[in-house]
Amino acid sequence: MRYDQKVYFVKRIPGSYDPKTGNYIDKEHVFPVWASVMDTGTDMLNLLYDRIPQGIKTLHVMGHWKQPDLIRIDGKTYKIDLTRKLRSKQTFIVSEVPE
């Protein structure tokens, strides 16, 4: 298995109130991680979603990570639907978030 694609784990931190705009300004910490990215198989899609949606990927990363809020792959944003911690790696099943 090759860990040949760079993905970015995004952790959002609630920010402070900006009285000028009236909005809260959130900060993002971005961590680059090498991962093996592939399309999710149809058996797993049927098991998780009871249908076959588009834009679902499976990631394998070496080591264990705290669960990020979002993952960016090739400029697209994904949310985590399922994660599994194995002995020496972690698996994420992610779905694309419309922007």
Side-chain angles (χ1 to χ4, degrees), residues 4-99:
D4 59 348
Q5 191 166 359
K6 190 177 273 193
V7 299
Y8 298 93
F9 287 1
V10 178
K11 187 69 174 172
R12 289 191 175 162
I13 298 173
S16 59
Y17 179 73
D18 184 7
K20 292 180 183 176
T21 62
N23 295 328
Y24 285 90
I25 301 171
D26 292 337
K27 296 180 182 178
E28 289 186 347
H29 286 287
V30 180
F31 303 98
V33 178
W34 288 99
S36 173
V37 180
M38 63 198 90
D39 290 328
T40 305
T42 55
D43 294 340
M44 182 59 80
L45 291 174
N46 283 328
L47 182 68
L48 285 176
Y49 305 105
D50 289 333
R51 56 188 171 87
I52 301 179
Q54 300 294 316
I56 309 295
K57 299 215 179 273
T58 299
L59 283 76
H60 296 268
V61 295
M62 290 300 292
H64 295 151
W65 293 82
K66 290 185 179 179
Q67 185 156 336
D69 296 324
L70 297 171
I71 296 177
R72 289 196 182 114
I73 306 168
D74 293 333
K76 296 181 181 178
T77 305
Y78 293 85
K79 68 179 177 75
I80 298 171
D81 294 332
L82 178 71
T83 183
R84 275 194 237 161
K85 288 186 179 181
L86 304 173
R87 179 179 292 180
S88 63
K89 64 182 176 181
Q90 191 167 358
T91 302
F92 296 97
I93 297 179
V94 297
S95 59
E96 192 172 348
V97 176
E99 295 186 24

